[in-house]
Amino acid sequence: MIHLETLDFLIIAALLSITVLIGVWASKTAGKDSDEFFLSGKNMPWWLMGTSMVATTFSTDTPNLVTDIVRRDGVAGNWVWWAFLITGLLTVFVYAKLWRRSNVTTDLEFYSLRYGGKPAKFLRTFRSVYLGVAFNVMAMAGVTLAAIKIGHIMFGAEPWLVVIIAGAITVFFSAFGGFKGVVYTDFFLFFMAMVGSVASAYYIVNLPEVGGLCNLMSQPVVQEKQNFFPTLSNKEQWMTLFIIPLAVQWWSAWYPGAEPGGGGYVAQRMLAAKDENHAVGATFFFNFMHYAVRPWPWILVAFASLIVFPDVESIGRMFPNIPADKLGHDLAYPAMLTKLPAGLLGLVLASLLAAYISTISTHLNWGSSYIVNDFYKLEINPDASEKQLVFVGQISTVLLMVVSGFIAMSLTNATQIFNIIIMFGAGTGLIFILRWFWWRINAWSEISAMFASGVVSLLLNFTDLGKTFFGENGKFESHYQFPFVVLVTTLVWVLITFLTKPETDQQLFAFYRRIKPGGPGWKLIKERALISGETLEESNQGWSLPYGILAMLVGCVSIYSCLFMLGNFLYGKPQEGFLLLGLFVASGFVLLWIWKKIKNKLI
């Protein structure tokens, strides 16, 4: 347990004061109507939207999660989320324009645009609760759990006290400042969070017991964890951490912030952008910062923690008051922060508070937008006034925070949440990618995929069926469980797609007119339109999807080379670092050339 000095309190107070002031300023226009409350008038620039995306995905649980991964599986373990870069860049170069062109208020409103009839209405309503409430509060609970652990280790604070204090601050400006308050606060909080993470990493690496960067990297226990890729000799690790994420997970799994084809709060920010190019710019900036730059301060602290706290038991001995169900490798990050001096400690605590506020506020506004626009307005009160919609949004914001707080106090570590969400979204991602470019997908495709994924995941994780087929005593190795869920889910939704009627021609014609997706997947619909005397406008600049996929691949080379370039320089391997720098620059020029080809094309 630590004690804050006056300087620490002043820094934290300054952060909270600025946050509250931004919320008060934003509240003057946020309550004007629901469009302003959830999308700030759809007039936001790329740099503000991109920074907001980065800030949202940098929360109190993120450094804890990365620390847990590095201590268990080394740097290579991060491929379980690094693989989502492919998804992110596919969103940048293919789907960002499509989302902005749809001009919907939430990504769930897409269902009313793409599908028709009662199945579409059910899908939109059900997912507003399924995602906006169930999955959303689980994600927020993971973030709040990290705050609970930090509060307990650093101050000895009880979980309920941390939940009340952190939640009250966040709910205040989220409920009254709306989306504008969230975004402008994100911009300020992002820089606070980055400064805090870099400063803490620098100080911790230079602690006497760590001995500086060179000494840290020369330690055998750290060298074992430095590899960027799993070792071939460890089949389980190679399959679980690398092959499955890159071959299956990125396109098949739904995960907040990394949805195949875009969605969730990333889609919310694309929809709020000024135009299509601003939506693309925001999403690319987010992916570059999220994957290439931000992880290294956390990885360095994780390395240092291996010297100071070589195992979980050593953390428990240093902090004996930690409950047994909260003790884990993820505690190593806040444990290392207890060694920071006055001033820097206040800055880092302020940065962690900033990270918490930015993430939770986004989830609250995003989840509330589903409840208001896709449930309340659709099912409860279609004639609700704008003031009523804003009021319901404010009330739902508070309730979401309360529910997530209760769930957080029952969880053990951040990896739990990650694995649960990944498994429950397994197999649904391919639909989110194809539904824009293949006319035959209908509402029943998505309904069947959603339920198949959920039911199979429940059976494998909460019954003896999973132990029978997967794991040490099962018929198959445990790493086959995720691909199995994907396979079953995919077979179910493909079968249901062909057994059910397609959407009506008029529904498909209307979708094509607004989005102009192009490509062979809509050839039959264009032929039907000609026969019916309908006019479906085509882009006179050609179909840019092939260029978009090429840009995605080159973008992956560019961002991954930047990620590993920074790693090699930190590892003290300048030759490899400069080679990767050359690859980063070269791929960057190629990417710019491709972008010029697709910039003005209508996908």
Side-chain angles (χ1 to χ4, degrees), residues 322-343:
I322 296 295
D325 67 331
K326 296 292 189 289
L327 190 62
H329 284 289
D330 57 335
L331 281 178
Y333 189 85
M336 294 300 294
L337 298 184
T338 62
K339 298 182 176 295
L340 298 177

Side-chain angles (χ1 to χ4, degrees), residues 36 50-51 59 90 104 111 114 179 189 214 290 396 439 500 533 537 595:
E36 186 70 33
T51 305
S59 186
L90 191 64
V104 294
Y111 293 129
R114 176 64 174 82
F179 185 73
L189 296 179
C214 292
H290 181 58
S396 60
W439 70 275
T500 54
E537 293 182 9
W595 173 242

Side-chain angles (χ1 to χ4, degrees), residues 260-376:
Y265 51 75
V266 172
Q268 185 187 34
R269 278 146 182 77
M270 291 188 287
L271 292 168
K274 284 183 177 181
D275 54 37
E276 295 170 15
N277 286 330
H278 278 269
V280 172
T283 318
F284 183 79
F285 178 78
F286 157 61
N287 280 278
F288 178 78
M289 293 298 297
H290 181 58
Y291 293 100
V293 178
R294 198 170 52 187
W296 284 110
W298 305 330
I299 293 173
L300 289 176
V301 174
F303 282 162
S305 74
L306 290 169
I307 307 299
V308 181
F309 302 105
D311 50 38
V312 174
E313 289 72 24
S314 60
I315 301 174
R317 287 193 297 270
M318 180 63 71
F319 305 97
N321 293 325
I322 296 295
D325 67 331
K326 296 292 189 289
L327 190 62
H329 284 289
D330 57 335
L331 281 178
Y333 189 85
M336 294 300 294
L337 298 184
T338 62
K339 298 182 176 295
L340 298 177
L344 181 55
L345 179 61
L347 176 63
V348 170
L349 287 176
S351 73
L352 290 173
L353 183 59
Y356 178 85
I357 292 172
S358 64
T359 300
I360 294 296
S361 62
T362 288
H363 277 274
L364 290 174
N365 188 266
W366 165 53
S368 180
S369 71
Y370 282 1
I371 293 170
V372 171
N373 194 65
D374 304 298
F375 182 75
Y376 179 80

Side-chain angles (χ1 to χ4, degrees), residues 202-216:
Y202 178 82
Y203 184 87
I204 287 170
V205 165
N206 288 285
L207 286 170
E209 53 264 57
V210 178
L213 188 61
C214 292
N215 185 63
L216 174 65

Side-chain angles (χ1 to χ4, degrees), residues 186-208:
D186 277 350
F187 186 75
F188 163 68
L189 296 179
F190 166 71
F191 290 102
M192 283 291 298
M194 282 303 298
V195 168
S197 66
V198 172
S200 60
Y202 178 82
Y203 184 87
I204 287 170
V205 165
N206 288 285
L207 286 170

Side-chain angles (χ1 to χ4, degrees), residues 492-534:
V492 167
W493 76 254
V494 170
L495 180 64
I496 294 298
T497 297
F498 287 106
L499 290 177
T500 54
K501 293 181 179 179
E503 301 299 333
T504 66
D505 284 353
Q506 292 306 313
Q507 185 77 35
L508 296 172
F509 293 165
F511 177 80
Y512 195 96
R513 286 194 193 95
R514 181 181 293 192
I515 306 298
K516 298 181 179 64
W522 288 90
K523 182 179 178 181
L524 183 60
I525 298 304
K526 289 185 285 185
E527 292 174 354
R528 287 182 186 175
L530 286 175
I531 295 172
S532 304
E534 298 276 353

